Amino acid sequence: MPQPHPDSSKITVTCAVVTVSDTRTLETDKSGQLIKQLLLAANHAIGAYTIIKDEPTQIQGQIENLGKSPNLDAVIFSGGTGIAPRDTTYDAIEKLLEKTLPGFGELFRFLSYQEIGSRAIASRAVAGVYQNKLIFSLPGSSNAVRLAMEKLILPELTHLVSQVCKEVK
């Protein structure tokens, strides 16, 4: 799809990958590993990777700590975006975002609907800016991660980071 104003240069974006789960381990975290693989294949860098429990204080603490890192451009969370009682990622992150990207969640749910039907309404995928860093929060399923990364995040990551950086300068 043609871009309205193509980016003039490619930059390497340094991302943190955070999996939010009460059960996943480094060995079983397929979604976190997939995010890392897709970022590296697109010539971006991984600045941090961790798995944390689905606890609002841990999620907010993680985003606040990563927000202080001068070497990071973006943080990609996976997991905890549904409506089950233990799904608290959206609630924890949304409160901290200084700017939101409503189109991210809207387009993600639209694309998800094309794949999984009306179950897409249960997704609370969200994106925005915190401390001049892009924040993306994705569902925990590998299919959802692949969809978000390939159709939304990777095509726009460089452009969005360059827009966030323009504000700072």
Side-chain angles (χ1 to χ4, degrees):
M1 181 170 281
Q3 296 176 340
H5 35 75
D7 298 318
S8 58
S9 64
K10 288 286 181 190
I11 61 170
T12 298
V13 177
T14 302
C15 300
V17 178
V18 180
T19 298
V20 179
S21 175
D22 292 335
T23 59
R24 293 199 182 154
T25 65
L26 293 175
E27 295 78 31
T28 62
D29 181 22
K30 293 179 184 174
S31 293
Q33 296 300 327
L34 179 59
I35 293 168
K36 290 180 2 180
Q37 290 169 5
L38 292 170
L39 286 168
L40 292 172
N43 297 314
H44 296 301
I46 309 301
Y49 167 65
T50 192
I51 300 173
I52 60 173
K53 297 289 183 196
D54 202 337
E55 294 289 343
T57 55
Q58 284 190 35
I59 297 165
Q60 288 182 331
Q62 190 71 17
I63 198 170
E64 289 168 350
N65 286 337
L66 293 170
K68 295 173 188 171
S69 176
N71 301 324
L72 289 177
D73 302 304
V75 182
I76 304 173
F77 287 83
S78 68
T81 62
I83 59 170
R86 291 290 300 153
D87 290 333
T88 63
T89 306
Y90 172 87
D91 305 293
I93 289 176
E94 188 269 340
K95 292 174 185 172
L96 294 178
L97 294 177
E98 297 154 358
K99 292 184 180 182
T100 59
L101 296 171
F104 174 79
E106 294 162 0
L107 284 171
F108 176 78
R109 285 180 284 281
F110 170 75
L111 294 170
S112 293
Y113 177 78
Q114 295 174 334
E115 289 190 3
I116 64 170
S118 59
R119 292 256 167 114
I121 67 171
S123 172
R124 297 188 299 158
V126 66
V129 177
Y130 174 79
Q131 298 292 315
N132 297 310
K133 309 233 180 323
L134 288 172
I135 307 295
F136 296 96
S137 181
L138 316 176
S141 84
S142 295
N143 288 341
V145 162
R146 182 174 298 281
L147 175 71
M149 292 296 294
E150 291 179 348
K151 298 288 186 179
L152 299 172
I153 296 174
L154 290 173
E156 295 301 325
L157 189 58
T158 301
H159 175 73
L160 292 171
V161 165
S162 69
Q163 292 298 301
V164 171
C165 290
K166 279 183 181 179
E167 279 186 20
V168 178
K169 295 177 182 176

